[in-house]
Amino acid sequence: METLDTLFKSFEMGLRMPKAVKPKEYLKSSGLDYTDLRIGFNSGQFHHNVSQELKDNYEALGVIQKSNAGVSKEGMTAYTVFGRYSVVFPLMNQKNEVVNLFAIRFDMETQQAEYLNSEGIYPNYPPPLTKRLYIVPTVLDCASLLQSKILENRDSVMALHNAELLPQHLEAIKTLHELEEIIIIKN
């Protein structure tokens, strides 16, 4: 069974492909370096030319949904794809597994950002020895802060979920027994 972790790794490879010019340009204009951060590109094609079993698995993960759109051949099924043509960031659980995706559909008149579900933390759960924790409103803010290289040895950062503090954020904070300072950055 394919997991979100495996699917995200394919998105990471997709961003490194020569054809992925527009997502690379978007990231560059946003000041983000995909060689320094875990970022992928979802072209929306990952479910093409795969078995029905794998499509069913993708549907169970929530990354595709059956659609009523027209199809080119009799017997085919149309699907709507989560985060089609977007840059994608992974949200992690406590075991450091990808359990959620954050997608930015950058090639639209108005950019759209969406989460696959409400699980996980970006970029991951802070290490237990964290002394100073930065909490930022968005995944992009978090990626920018990570990329800035200003975090010191026992600093960590985590993004809120649509600027909302969820139970997993509180759980993560409670595990930081050496925490001395929380810095909340607002837009």
Side-chain angles (χ1 to χ4, degrees):
M1 177 190 288
E2 184 145 340
T3 63
L4 283 180
D5 204 58
T6 307
L7 182 60
F8 181 76
K9 286 175 185 166
S10 75
F11 292 160
E12 284 179 300
M13 287 188 299
L15 185 56
R16 283 154 176 75
M17 295 293 176
K19 288 183 177 181
V21 174
K22 286 186 178 185
K24 290 174 190 165
E25 288 173 352
Y26 168 76
L27 291 169
K28 186 175 181 180
S29 72
S30 299
L32 298 176
D33 181 358
Y34 67 92
T35 64
D36 195 35
L37 298 168
R38 288 198 72 194
I39 305 173
F41 171 57
N42 177 3
S43 67
Q45 306 293 311
F46 63 89
H47 67 292
H48 291 195
N49 301 315
V50 299
S51 69
Q52 187 59 48
E53 181 182 359
L54 196 49
K55 287 179 187 177
D56 293 343
N57 183 51
Y58 287 146
E59 194 170 4
L61 290 171
V63 291
I64 63 173
Q65 293 178 347
K66 288 186 174 102
S67 165
N68 292 329
V71 292
S72 60
K73 292 181 187 173
E74 182 76 26
M76 290 183 72
T77 303
Y79 292 93
T80 301
V81 177
F82 166 80
R84 187 186 63 75
Y85 209 81
S86 64
V87 292
V88 182
F89 297 80
L91 281 78
M92 314 303 275
N93 65 11
Q94 290 171 306
K95 296 176 186 172
N96 215 28
E97 300 165 325
V98 178
V99 293
N100 192 359
L101 301 172
F102 174 75
I104 301 170
R105 296 181 68 189
F106 59 88
D107 203 28
M108 303 177 76
E109 191 173 311
T110 303
Q111 286 182 18
Q112 288 183 345
E114 60 184 329
Y115 289 90
L116 180 62
N117 58 54
S118 62
E119 296 180 50
I121 292 178
Y122 180 81
N124 50 36
Y125 276 68
L129 298 178
T130 298
K131 283 193 171 194
R132 183 169 47 182
L133 177 65
Y134 291 85
I135 299 176
V136 298
T138 70
V139 168
L140 285 181
D141 294 329
C142 192
S144 295
L145 189 58
L146 285 169
Q147 183 125 1
S148 73
K149 306 289 187 215
I150 65 167
L151 297 178
E152 295 178 8
N153 188 23
R154 293 180 65 187
D155 290 352
S156 294
V157 60
M158 68 178 170
L160 297 177
H161 194 297
N162 283 332
E164 195 175 325
L165 190 70
L166 296 179
Q168 62 262 32
H169 297 107
L170 295 173
E171 287 172 28
I173 293 168
K174 288 177 187 175
T175 66
L176 305 177
H177 300 294
E178 295 196 25
L179 187 63
E180 295 174 359
E181 183 177 17
I182 295 178
I183 298 167
I184 300 171
I185 299 175
K186 295 182 179 182
N187 281 349

